[in-house]
Amino acid sequence: MAVPLNPPGETPPAEGSIGEAHEERADGGLWEHPGVWSALIVIGALVVAGFFLARIFGYG
């Protein structure tokens, strides 16, 4: 039995597929943005480093 060929770039027809397209879930807001968390960690590290530098140079 010959297999029908599809033109390039076309998806072959699915046989027996009964699944539906899933709904895309909503954006998780702040929890899904690692750049925000990275920035908070860097800012916190700079604050702590600044505290120690101030203690070393006698400003605190």
Side-chain angles (χ1 to χ4, degrees):
M1 181 171 161
V3 176
L5 298 176
N6 293 317
E10 282 195 24
T11 305
E15 295 181 11
S17 176
I18 59 171
E20 297 178 7
H22 67 280
E23 277 190 38
E24 194 167 325
R25 62 187 181 93
D27 183 25
L30 182 65
W31 304 106
E32 290 187 1
H33 298 285
V36 173
W37 295 110
S38 298
L40 287 174
I41 291 169
V42 169
I43 291 170
L46 290 174
V47 168
V48 170
F51 170 76
F52 283 105
L53 287 174
R55 294 284 301 210
I56 288 171
F57 294 112
Y59 295 117

